[in-house]
Amino acid sequence: MIEVNELSKSYGEVVAVEGVSFAVGKGTILGFLGPNGAGKTTTMRMLTCYLPPSGGQATVAGFDVVEESMEVRKRIGYLPETPPLYLDMTVRAYLRFVARIKGVTGPQLNGRIDDTMEKTGIAHHQNTVISHLSKGYKQRVGLAQALVHSPDVLILDEPTVGLDPKQIIEIREVIKGLAGDHTVILSTHILPEVSMTCEKIVIINGGRIAGEGTPESLIAQLKEGEVLRASIGGPGQEVLSMIRAMDGVIDVAVESGGEEDGVFIITSTPGTDVRDSLARQIVDGGYALRELRGLDMTLEDIFLRLTTEEVKA
Amino acid sequence: MGNFLAVYSKEMRSYFVSPVAYVIAGVFLFLSGYLFRSILMQFNMICLQLGQRAQQMGGGMPALNLNEMVVTQFFAVMDFIWLLIVPMLTMRLYAEEKKTGTIELLMTSPISSVQVLLGKFFACFSLYAIIVSLTMVYFLILEAYGSPDWGPIFSGYLGYLFLGATFISVGILASALTENQIVAVLLSFGILLMFWLIDWSASFAGPTAAKILQYVSFIEHLEDFQRGVIDSRDVVFYLSFTFFCLFLTTRVIESRRWRR
């Protein structure tokens, strides 16, 4: 549905986005993850035909964003970082205006507006002037604006910013409900949001893509090894050197503990499971095994690793 | 067409739900009403004085022309008030969209920038035409007590429509250049005043330059209308000026798309 090929954008000397490529299939939700200033908004603005790319190409539904911008614009709904609201209009009048300039006409118009207001939970505020709404409701009106013409592709720039936790959950449910019929790209710097709503993730940092894939594949790709957490009763130094000497163990770190008890974080080569042999050795050595479990790498770890240091080749 | 109407009605609504239209119409009508009254009182006094003199010295009352002494006078001062008012009508048209980010909605919707521009232009022009036509009441009052020649009045108003279109196009261009409404107002004042006073320097310029300077002056072309002359040269001047400014505006707005 969306194909991005070596897309770049520079503002004078400043390079905002450089050589970004990715593809999104129909009906998927793609999470666009990156720290502030990474180039998320710039990339989205190029996809929505607001900014021309300095280099590379992007197509939406098979139409080029530069050459066939009108066709692209018919097919996208876009929620910018600050919702583009006319504050002196009522919610209904505003959605009516947006629907009309998006090409919804005649008998469908009122039906579309009602549906969208229902979906985003703003129907009971339809005659309120937008400037009187709270930030959360303004954000919803912004989302409604992007949805009102039922576009194939939705591009949402930080859709949950400024909402309270309950509203965030509601908006996420709305977005999840859109998958299947709509292709969605949403940007965020909130990690749980991505793991909860998105099927695919693109991590962007410093204008370049730092990682791409499903949450699981990203974890597998970046795992340096299997990680175990073990709580062992026994003289700390002895236990440490025993574990170090084991086959397959790359690294051992002491999380807490001292002379008698210790909690150790053990990293072993990928694909090996040292749990059985570790347990045997501990028992053989006369120590007490209190806890032993595998640690999963979280999205947080991946994000930090990808955005704070150079990716290891 | 649908897109044009959507933008047009949105802009009209925005003028009338905010105090803008009412305040501007109110201030303008108050000022122009005050001026009209003053001009009328002055004419009244002159009539009285001449009548007294005719009585004392004998002889007839000189023929006083109502059009020359009231209508033309009134038009001459009203021109200048428009120069002050129109930039206030146009200042927010693009500047506000840029400031609040709604321009992003317009630019990413399947609507051409010409449709947006025409919607905004005609909304502003309609409001202008409504306020201008309200001043016709003054001439109805004149009709009740005297017998003005309606020909030059109508052609004068026609001239105002052309002048208004030109002013609005300049104001819209200024508004498209900035996201600050104060800057937009000052910029349009500057441009309008420049073209208002430009024929002044014609008196010191060489013969060719003087002709050019006179031609581009807003006032020169308006005087014909107010004398009752509808000259196609004047119409062409105002229309081409308007088109040129509107064309520049579309270029300014579109420039975002080709500035790589």
Side-chain angles (χ1 to χ4, degrees):
Chain A
M1 203 64 183
I2 300 170
E3 271 178 56
V4 176
N5 196 2
E6 290 294 316
L7 205 62
S8 312
K9 175 76 194 176
S10 36
Y11 300 102
E13 293 288 294
V14 184
V15 178
V17 172
E18 202 178 359
V20 166
S21 307
F22 61 89
V24 192
K26 190 173 162 41
T28 15
I29 302 184
L30 174 84
F32 219 46
L33 195 60
N36 292 325
K40 300 185 298 264
T41 299
T42 304
T43 308
M44 291 185 146
R45 282 181 164 176
M46 288 192 278
L47 285 178
T48 53
C49 314
Y50 183 63
L51 286 177
S54 309
Q57 290 169 319
T59 58
V60 174
F63 297 101
D64 189 277
V65 292
V66 179
E67 303 297 327
E68 295 151 306
S69 117
M70 273 298 173
E71 293 301 316
V72 173
R73 287 191 257 164
K74 275 181 202 163
R75 288 168 176 79
I76 51 164
Y78 174 38
L79 172 61
E81 221 168 338
T82 30
L85 305 173
Y86 293 107
L87 297 177
D88 56 5
M89 291 176 116
T90 64
V91 171
R92 193 178 186 92
Y94 171 70
L95 289 179
R96 194 181 170 81
F97 169 68
V98 177
R100 282 175 77 187
I101 63 169
K102 300 277 185 186
V104 183
T105 47
Q108 303 172 327
L109 192 61
N110 280 319
R112 281 299 323 153
I113 295 169
D114 288 331
D115 279 359
T116 314
M117 287 195 298
E118 200 60 48
K119 215 182 243 176
T120 47
I122 50 175
H124 56 296
H125 279 305
Q126 56 174 299
N127 293 319
T128 311
V129 175
I130 295 177
S131 60
H132 296 169
L133 293 175
S134 69
K135 185 154 168 55
Y137 272 104
K138 281 182 188 157
Q139 192 72 25
R140 286 180 196 220
V141 177
L143 186 63
Q145 162 274 128
L147 282 171
V148 72
H149 56 302
S150 192
D152 295 340
V153 177
L154 266 168
I155 295 182
L156 312 173
D157 200 348
E158 311 211 343
T160 55
V161 149
L163 303 183
D164 66 37
K166 187 166 163 279
Q167 292 169 328
I168 290 181
I169 293 167
E170 285 169 6
I171 292 281
R172 271 183 206 150
E173 288 307 313
V174 172
I175 295 171
K176 267 194 207 168
L178 298 172
D181 297 336
H182 308 266
T183 307
V184 183
I185 296 186
L186 72 91
S187 80
T188 180
H189 55 261
I190 306 163
L191 293 159
E193 187 149 296
V194 184
S195 46
M196 265 179 257
T197 39
C198 305
E199 297 145 65
K200 199 181 161 192
I201 300 175
V202 168
I203 297 180
I204 184 167
N205 187 37
R208 293 166 173 280
I209 287 188
E212 187 187 351
T214 60
E216 297 78 30
S217 74
L218 273 175
I219 290 168
Q221 191 184 321
L222 285 156
K223 240 181 182 174
E224 288 177 327
E226 312 291 332
V227 184
L228 293 174
R229 185 173 182 276
S231 173
I232 300 164
Q237 286 306 317
E238 244 179 82
V239 176
L240 194 62
S241 51
M242 180 203 78
I243 302 172
R244 282 229 171 94
M246 281 178 61
D247 271 350
V249 172
I250 305 170
D251 188 36
V252 187
V254 184
E255 190 183 279
S256 65
E259 293 304 306
E260 286 304 308
D261 296 302
V263 179
F264 304 89
I265 304 291
I266 304 156
T267 312
S268 59
T269 46
T272 56
D273 190 352
V274 292
R275 275 180 297 182
D276 291 353
S277 51
L278 180 66
R280 207 173 302 122
Q281 287 222 15
I282 290 169
V283 175
D284 288 351
Y287 312 121
L289 177 59
R290 305 218 168 95
E291 195 195 342
L292 181 63
R293 64 185 169 94
L295 291 183
D296 275 332
M297 206 175 172
T298 62
L299 204 57
E300 220 121 338
D301 299 326
I302 300 176
F303 181 68
L304 285 175
R305 184 163 298 168
L306 287 174
T307 56
T308 52
E309 58 181 284
E310 290 290 278
V311 182
K312 286 176 185 145
Chain B
M1 194 63 193
N3 284 338
F4 162 76
L5 284 178
V7 176
Y8 177 84
S9 52
K10 184 216 111 199
E11 294 295 343
M12 278 308 256
R13 179 199 293 263
S14 154
Y15 276 125
F16 284 100
V17 297
S18 70
V20 175
Y22 306 104
V23 170
I24 288 179
V27 168
F28 173 75
L29 290 174
F30 178 81
L31 278 180
S32 59
Y34 170 75
L35 288 167
F36 185 74
R37 180 181 174 276
S38 303
I39 290 167
L40 212 57
M41 296 300 276
Q42 197 182 6
F43 178 70
N44 208 12
M45 212 165 68
I46 293 170
C47 282
L48 219 63
Q49 282 172 349
L50 286 177
Q52 276 174 349
R53 196 175 299 169
Q55 251 180 3
Q56 286 164 0
M57 308 212 174
M61 172 93 177
L64 294 179
N65 187 324
L66 194 59
N67 276 69
E68 246 170 50
M69 302 208 58
V70 176
V71 178
T72 315
Q73 289 274 330
F74 177 64
F75 277 150
V77 288
M78 208 158 68
D79 301 344
F80 195 72
I81 304 181
W82 276 121
L83 194 145
L84 300 175
I85 299 276
V86 169
M88 312 266 184
L89 291 177
T90 55
M91 65 177 186
R92 45 164 281 280
L93 287 174
Y94 277 103
E96 197 180 37
E97 305 251 14
K98 285 181 159 186
K99 188 122 199 164
T100 60
T102 45
I103 191 89
E104 214 162 333
L105 168 65
L106 296 179
M107 299 282 286
T108 58
S109 295
I111 173 172
S112 74
S113 44
V114 175
Q115 287 169 324
V116 175
L117 175 66
L118 291 180
K120 285 176 180 293
F121 174 81
F122 280 106
C124 190
F125 186 72
S126 309
L127 178 61
Y128 168 86
I130 291 169
I131 303 177
V132 166
S133 59
L134 286 175
T135 61
M136 288 276 237
V137 176
Y138 306 152
F139 296 105
L140 291 178
I141 295 171
L142 212 57
E143 175 72 26
Y145 295 100
S147 46
D149 181 0
W150 280 88
I153 296 179
F154 283 128
S155 69
Y157 273 95
L158 188 66
Y160 273 143
L161 292 186
F162 286 112
L163 183 77
T166 312
F167 279 10
I168 290 168
S169 68
V170 170
I172 287 183
L173 175 61
S175 180
L177 287 169
T178 172
E179 57 178 48
N180 185 323
Q181 299 196 18
I182 306 287
V183 173
V185 164
L186 288 177
L187 210 56
S188 28
F189 274 150
I191 300 171
L192 292 179
L193 261 180
M194 191 65 222
F195 278 100
W196 193 264
L197 302 172
I198 205 164
D199 63 331
W200 196 359
S201 56
S203 18
F204 325 117
T208 325
K211 268 200 174 140
I212 295 173
L213 290 175
Q214 261 167 8
Y215 182 76
V216 296
S217 160
F218 286 159
I219 293 194
E220 288 283 316
H221 296 275
L222 200 62
E223 281 165 355
D224 284 343
F225 281 107
Q226 294 175 351
R227 280 201 308 267
V229 182
I230 301 173
D231 191 334
S232 59
R233 276 177 301 181
D234 302 326
V235 174
V236 166
F237 169 76
Y238 285 127
L239 286 185
S240 51
F241 207 104
T242 306
F243 279 123
F244 183 63
C245 286
L246 293 182
F247 170 75
L248 286 184
T249 308
T250 61
R251 294 296 88 191
V252 170
I253 296 297
E254 287 276 321
S255 68
R256 179 185 296 281
R257 285 200 216 285
W258 34 260
R259 256 187 293 171
R260 296 187 163 210

